[in-house]
């Protein structure tokens, strides 16, 4: 407090009162910070739980990754979010991008040996950079130069075991949203882990589908071969179900294959 009209305007009682008020104010500010932190943590847990549930309910990879990017953008107060996947040639292609420069990041390809994103993809170690321009690994993206001086960046690898599938990158505008904290990086790592699970599940499902198609094709080819054998032939699987009943068998027994295929508990000598 300042009084420029009267010298000695404040007494010791005024000082004690002001001290009490300042202490009360500091407690109120700390309580507000704790409340904001609890609220943020609750949002993070809610986001991770919701995404985990979606992963268990669907194999639609694009839907899950879109939701992960959306949650990162909302909870981390991000300017931009990009989710890049590692390609066979070592490059990282953007599959999801949200934010101010989304159209730029969608077209940007991180080539082997270029930038912090590639470094994180190689090391598998998440990074938080509140002064990214001071890092010698930084690779500038044409079209985002106007925000480079004021940005902070998080890098979270999408890790499945000891294999990195891609990198989740989050940009924040420091003058409006402040720098990133370790808790922000921890949340981004949680999201990246969920993305890696979704990608792994989708790829395993796709592989199983291909394997099933291949097995069905092999079974069909075998059935075609058996069908034209001159001798009466049938094939029974491990569950004692008839999976092949050729034409010679039809002629010998008078029973059509359609009446036998898939039936079980038959034994012939």
């Amino acid at each position: 407090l300042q009084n420029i009209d009267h010298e000695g305007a404040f007494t010791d009682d005024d000082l004690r009162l002001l001290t009490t008020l300042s202490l009360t104010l500091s407690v109120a500010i700390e309580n507000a910070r704790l409340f904001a932190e609890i609220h943020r943590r609750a949002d993070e847990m809610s986001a991770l739980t919701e995404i985990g549930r979606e992963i268990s309910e669907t194999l639609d990879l694009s839907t899950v990754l879109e939701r992960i990017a959306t949650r990162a953008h909302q909870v981390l107060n991000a300017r931009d979010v990009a989710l890049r996947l590692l390609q066979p040639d070592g490059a990282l292609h953007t599959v999801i991008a949200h934010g101010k420069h989304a159209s730029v990041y969608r077209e940007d390809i991180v080539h082997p040996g270029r930038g912090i994103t590639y470094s994180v993809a190689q090391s598998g170690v998440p990074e938080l950079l509140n002064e990214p321009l001071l890092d010698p690994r930084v690779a500038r993206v044409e079209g985002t130069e106007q925000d480079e001086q004021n940005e902070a960046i998080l890098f979270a690898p999408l890790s499945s075991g000891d294999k990195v599938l891609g990198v989740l990158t989050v940009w924040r505008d420091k003058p409006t949203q402040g720098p990133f904290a370790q808790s922000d990086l921890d949340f981004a790592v949680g999201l990246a882990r969920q993305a890696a699970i979704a990608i792994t599940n989708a790829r395993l499902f796709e592989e199983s589908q291909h394997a099933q198609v291949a097995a069905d094709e092999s079974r069909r080819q075998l059935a075609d071969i058996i069908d034209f054998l001159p001798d009466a032939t049938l094939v029974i699987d491990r569950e004692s179900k008839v999976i092949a009943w050729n034409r010679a068998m039809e002629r010998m027994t008078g029973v059509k294959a359609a009446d036998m295929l898939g039936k079980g508990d038959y034994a012939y000598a």
Side-chain angles (χ1 to χ4, degrees), residues 145-163:
E145 298 89 348
Q146 67 271 31
D147 290 313
E148 288 179 345
Q149 293 293 335
N150 296 320
E151 67 186 12
I153 316 177
L154 294 180
F155 301 88
L158 279 59
S159 299
S160 178
D162 58 356
K163 183 178 181 182

Side-chain angles (χ1 to χ4, degrees), residues 34-219:
L34 289 173
F35 179 79
E37 177 67 14
I38 292 171
H39 185 71
R40 187 181 65 81
R41 291 280 183 171
D43 284 346
E44 292 177 357
M45 290 301 299
S46 175
L48 292 174
T49 301
E50 180 182 344
I51 291 168
R53 184 172 61 250
E54 289 179 352
I55 290 174
S56 67
E57 293 175 350
T58 179
L59 289 170
D60 185 353
L61 182 59
S62 61
T63 298
V64 176
L65 295 184
E66 183 73 30
R67 186 60 60 88
I68 288 172
T70 299
R71 282 299 198 173
H73 196 265
Q74 293 171 343
V75 177
L76 294 173
N77 297 315
R79 188 201 74 209
D80 285 283
V81 174
L83 203 159
R84 297 182 170 102
L85 297 185
L86 199 61
Q87 304 301 310
D89 64 357
L92 289 124
H93 291 198
T94 303
V95 294
I96 302 288
H98 282 202
K100 181 178 180 180
H101 301 299
S103 60
V104 175
Y105 291 123
R106 287 191 194 102
E107 301 300 322
D108 182 55
I109 297 176
V110 177
H111 295 285
R114 172 181 176 246
I116 304 171
T117 302
Y118 180 78
S119 177
V120 170
Q122 291 298 297
S123 68
V125 178
E127 295 197 33
L128 183 163
L129 297 175
N130 282 320
E131 298 292 342
L133 291 182
L134 299 181
D135 194 303
R137 299 169 299 166
V138 70
R140 298 189 171 182
V141 179
E142 185 177 353
T144 68
E145 298 89 348
Q146 67 271 31
D147 290 313
E148 288 179 345
Q149 293 293 335
N150 296 320
E151 67 186 12
I153 316 177
L154 294 180
F155 301 88
L158 279 59
S159 299
S160 178
D162 58 356
K163 183 178 181 182
V164 175
L165 307 178
V167 177
L168 173 67
T169 308
V170 183
W171 292 262
R172 177 185 281 179
D173 183 63
K174 287 185 294 185
T176 59
Q177 301 298 339
F180 283 120
Q182 180 61 42
S183 58
D184 297 317
L185 182 61
D186 294 341
F187 176 63
V189 168
L191 288 177
R193 188 176 297 117
Q194 297 282 40
I197 292 172
I199 292 168
T200 301
N201 289 348
R203 288 178 176 176
L204 287 174
F205 178 73
E206 184 178 0
E207 289 173 4
S208 69
Q209 292 294 97
H210 288 322
Q212 183 62 48
V213 169
D216 290 344
E217 179 62 18
S218 296
R219 192 178 295 112

